[in-house]
Amino acid sequence: AAGEVTTEQIAGLRAELEEQAAAGSASVLLDAADAASPSMIAAALLYEHQSWAALHVLDQAISGTAEHSRERAGLLLFKEGLLQQTAEHSPTLADIDDAIAALEEAGRCECPEADRVAITGNLGVLWHKRFGLTDRLTDLGRALALLKDAVRRTPRPPGTAVQADLLARRLTNLGLAQDSSLGHPLGGGDIGAVVATLEEAVRLTPDSCPPRVRVKRWSALATALMTRDGDGDAATAVQWYRQACELAEAAPDGQGLLPGMLLNLSTALGDLAGTDHDGETPAEALALLERSCALAGDEQPGVALRAGLSWGRSAGRAGDWENATRGYRYMLRAMRHLAGEQATRPGKEAALLPAAGET
């Protein structure tokens, strides 16, 4: 049970939602807090351990609101936010579909235009996540249409840092969905459009934006540049990856991103060396892989698997069998960890795919 909800918790929820609304989140969440703060807090407290009970509490609160009301819209958005927490780490089709249904109903409620644009953008993100599980082009098509609509309806030019970050966030989500279309057999896609979208997102991102967010946006742009592989793209990508690594290392909220950023930088350096130095992996790239493995450990087995595999391959090509063995040991440890953890099957397959067929 969540226990008694205190006035301090209610005040804390209100303050948090006011801060989120000031940063561009839907304002109807405040209407929901006015109508049902105890239910929202109880659900949040229950969700980590008893998600079914949390959703039941919220569904009861939703059923007690007037149809199409602002309060109902806010509670539906709060429910979608809880479902997104699960979908962030171990996505299931059921959770994503429930979140989509909550957002679609919220979109039929009374909302300001800014909230409707936020709902549209969030729906686009969810349909993109759904595509990641289904590989259905129709899901990706819906994601792209919704994300493009959200970007189109976001005011330009942004007048404040908050508005600039909001537009940059929507551009980043659009760019990532555009990038997904490149790898789908029927998706088509234009890497030039992906790079242009992500470049605009980075350009708009204010310095006041949290370091973790900036790291992700810089990395997304660098990855797109590596994919385009035009004249000077690899060198530019290395610069963006370096900045991302430096910021992730310096920022308290960026430490969790550092293993992946080190892996990305190592890969970019290796690709650049393949062009300039007859394919020999530079020592810096190998050192980055070793550090990525050590930092990822059992906490990020997917990163450890890819970094260990790359380290083993690269050291083996150089005849350094001691380091090759160390890299492959990290890879095997990560594979055992992934096989035993409670992750979704698509998540496991995505992590294990890079090692498929390797000896």
Side-chain angles (χ1 to χ4, degrees):
E4 292 294 325
V5 174
T6 67
T7 55
E8 290 80 5
Q9 288 173 321
I10 291 174
L13 173 66
R14 178 83 193 185
E16 182 178 344
L17 293 177
E18 286 176 349
E19 183 179 342
Q20 292 176 8
S25 294
S27 62
V28 289
L29 284 165
L30 292 170
D31 295 275
D34 290 338
S37 281
S39 295
M40 294 168 75
I41 292 167
L45 292 172
L46 283 168
Y47 195 76
E48 184 177 354
H49 302 292
Q50 293 178 292
S51 58
W52 62 270
L55 294 174
H56 178 69
V57 167
L58 273 183
D59 285 339
Q60 283 190 316
I62 290 168
S63 66
T65 59
E67 194 172 0
H68 304 310
S69 67
R70 289 173 62 98
E71 294 81 6
R72 190 182 191 90
L75 285 170
L76 286 163
L77 288 173
F78 192 79
K79 177 181 178 180
E80 180 265 339
L82 291 181
L83 289 165
Q84 279 264 42
Q85 289 180 26
T86 299
E88 188 72 24
H89 303 290
S90 300
T92 67
L93 206 55
D95 285 335
I96 290 175
D97 284 346
D98 285 348
I100 288 173
L103 277 183
E104 288 179 338
E105 184 180 351
R108 295 190 291 270
C109 294
E110 178 189 347
C111 289
E113 172 61 12
D115 287 10
R116 293 191 181 281
V117 178
I119 290 170
T120 298
N122 289 344
L123 273 170
V125 171
L126 284 169
W127 279 106
H128 188 204
K129 288 183 177 180
R130 196 179 198 280
F131 167 74
L133 295 179
T134 66
D135 204 36
R136 293 176 185 164
L137 199 58
T138 51
D139 290 348
L140 180 59
R142 288 184 180 182
L144 286 166
L146 288 161
L147 292 168
K148 287 177 181 176
D149 189 37
V151 168
R152 180 184 61 81
R153 292 160 63 190
T154 303
R156 293 176 186 246
T160 66
V162 168
Q163 292 173 351
D165 179 50
L166 187 62
L167 179 53
R169 185 189 319 162
R170 290 170 182 167
L171 284 164
T172 300
N173 290 332
L174 173 59
L176 294 175
Q178 289 172 325
D179 184 70
S180 292
S181 70
L182 300 174
H184 196 283
L186 301 176
D190 175 6
I191 184 58
V194 176
V195 170
T197 299
L198 295 175
E199 281 180 334
E200 185 178 7
V202 167
R203 187 168 62 252
L204 285 167
T205 300
D207 292 338
S208 57
C209 198
R212 185 178 180 87
V213 173
R214 284 183 282 159
V215 166
K216 288 183 175 182
R217 290 177 190 170
W218 294 351
S219 179
L221 174 56
T223 301
L225 288 166
M226 293 297 298
T227 301
R228 187 171 69 176
D229 198 23
D231 186 29
D233 280 348
T236 304
V238 165
Q239 292 175 4
W240 282 116
Y241 279 139
R242 283 197 191 281
Q243 290 185 54
C245 286
E246 290 168 2
L247 184 56
E249 184 138 33
D253 69 342
Q255 293 296 309
L257 298 175
L258 187 56
M261 294 301 105
L262 293 169
L263 172 59
N264 289 341
L265 176 56
S266 175
T267 302
L269 286 169
D271 287 353
L272 192 61
T275 302
D276 297 337
H277 302 291
D278 300 323
E280 181 181 348
T281 303
E284 181 189 4
L286 293 174
L288 290 167
L289 290 172
E290 180 177 5
R291 188 156 181 245
S292 176
C293 286
L295 290 174
D298 292 338
E299 298 299 315
Q300 298 183 44
V303 175
L305 185 148
R306 294 193 299 275
L309 173 60
S310 183
W311 185 14
R313 279 175 171 173
S314 301
R317 281 198 299 265
D320 183 353
W321 302 115
E322 179 180 351
N323 274 307
T325 300
R326 292 176 64 197
Y328 285 130
R329 280 178 178 161
Y330 272 109
M331 182 194 77
L332 292 172
R333 179 182 175 88
M335 290 177 73
R336 287 194 295 269
H337 192 83
L338 281 165
E341 72 176 10
Q342 292 182 341
T344 61
R345 180 175 176 179
K348 288 182 179 180
E349 288 177 348
L352 291 169
L353 187 61
E358 289 298 321
T359 57

